[in-house]
Amino acid sequence: MTAAPYERAARLSWPRVVFVGLVAAFAVLTIPTLVDKHSWTGVAISVAVTAILAYVYLTPKRIAARFLVPGTILLLAFQVYPVAYTITTAFTNYGDGHRLSQSQAVAQIEADSVLEQPGAQRYELSVATKTTDTSGAFVFFLTDPNGKVERGDASGLTPVPDSQVTKDQFTGKVTTAAGWHILTGIQVNGLGQRLSTFAVPTSGGFIKSVGLSEAYIGQFTMKYDAAAHTMTDTRTSTVYKASGGEFKAADGSGKTLPIGWKVGVGFKNFTSVLTDAAIRGPFLRVLIWTIAFAVLSVLTTFALGLLLAVVMDHPRMRGRKLYSSLLLLPYAMPAFITTLVWSSMYNKDFGLLNKLFGTHIDWLGSPWAARGSVLLTNLWLGFPYMFLVCAGLLQAVPQELKEVARVDGASAVRVFRSVTMPTVLIGAMPLLIASFGYNFNNFNLIRLLTDGGPYPSGSSTAGDTDILISYTYRLAFGGQGAQYGLASAISFLIFVLVGLITYGGFRQTRQLEEVYAR
């Protein structure tokens, strides 16, 4: 029997209604912004997500989906989309100088080439936005010498009736405008680069700001030919042809314009890792150290953790709880604080280590000392975890097997090697693989302890203690210019490497289990 509409409505719990209402409200607030930015994909996703959530939570039959849909949406948003976007970026030249589309780059080049002509008209300038938030689009309110007000944006000028604005009685500058928020001088100054590159197209050129309260009308010196895909410098008559996401001089001089655009480059970013000497050398050096660092970190922390667990497991050990508690102290401290403390201890002039041993070692200043310092700090941070794991695994070793081995005359070392160690390894192998993957991407330790340094002479992108993830971070966000495409390609290679090593590790674990199960 089908329930009446009022009965179905009565079954709806108010938390679900409130949740769907909040989602719908969020969509209503964000969709106008997405439409304003012509982000139709974002609009479609916002509408689809809202519709799916409303259907799932406002109908009585989709009980299982109520638990699956939120997790699925978050998985798509925070896992699948970033991975897919990174892979897509790896096949482009996206980075500094290639952030825009071709049409945006052309408009930017033309706008940047605008020069004020002698005797050109000037305007009183007010900068305005739709809201008090200055992160979005802004417009110019321009008052010419005759008092006429026009609003300028990227599409051109629009006359503004005097009834919609209030002007300063002395300068004529617009102080209020209906439906707009006039920015203060501090806010206009905060626009920075966006203001200096903003230009309003007119029939005879562009209007650009000069200072915070004036604008001029000027002529552009770079002219784009859409049919020939060329940009011509009218001052020197130099012609630049569009090629590979940038304008290159057609005269063979090798000159390029500083603003390019984002294009697909195929496997260029991947092949350059192997073929470009400037990239191949630092990449291979960092890759070797990354593998060595991850392997040594796992081995040293596991060895020390296992040794301490065996000692604590000895039946004659007294004060076991006290010692175990002390051994876990490094694990209880926040890792970033511990790392910073160790960084100060490595100080050449005032560090604890040099004072304690009476030495004058530059722990973080020479390549091998810095690498040793990184490993030592990571050992301090990681051995408590391995101690906990090994202490638990030792409890799981069958005592009967040990007794049988001893009765057969096996020594303590033989019992440990043939009975205890295999059992511990089978249980610890998945954690060792996970630890390897974690240390392969242990960005925080490198960033806080050495920041990748010291740096070899002539190289500012790859330090001696850089691992792949910190090297990639510097490529993407370093001061040498962002190379998002190349950084994404290396990130993808890291993903593949860690995946292959993890797969091999799990296969090895399965083989161990099969061997010792016989």
Side-chain angles (χ1 to χ4, degrees), residues 450-478:
T450 64
D451 198 19
Y455 290 86
S457 177
S459 175
S460 58
T461 56
D464 287 314
T465 59
D466 259 324
I467 58 177
L468 281 177
I469 192 67
S470 60
Y471 172 61
T472 305
Y473 174 83
R474 194 167 297 107
L475 285 177
F477 306 107

Side-chain angles (χ1 to χ4, degrees), residues 3 121 195 271 286 290 322 341 386 419 463 501:
Q121 177 175 291
L195 179 66
T271 57
V286 172
T290 302
L322 174 63
V341 170
M386 291 298 181
V419 178
I501 293 171

Side-chain angles (χ1 to χ4, degrees), residues 148-172:
K148 179 184 177 183
V149 177
E150 293 178 292
R151 186 178 67 244
D153 55 25
S155 60
L157 292 171
T158 304
V160 179
D162 286 344
S163 59
Q164 295 184 7
V165 296
T166 303
K167 295 183 286 187
D168 184 274
Q169 59 178 332
F170 299 108
T171 64

Side-chain angles (χ1 to χ4, degrees), residues 13 134 181 451 498:
S13 61
T134 59
H181 173 74
D451 198 19
V498 174

Side-chain angles (χ1 to χ4, degrees), residues 107 110-111 113-114 154 199-202 204-208 216-220:
E110 289 182 332
S113 72
V114 174
V200 179
T202 66
F206 285 87
I207 296 176
K208 294 192 70 174
Y216 66 87
I217 183 168
Q219 301 292 329
F220 49 81

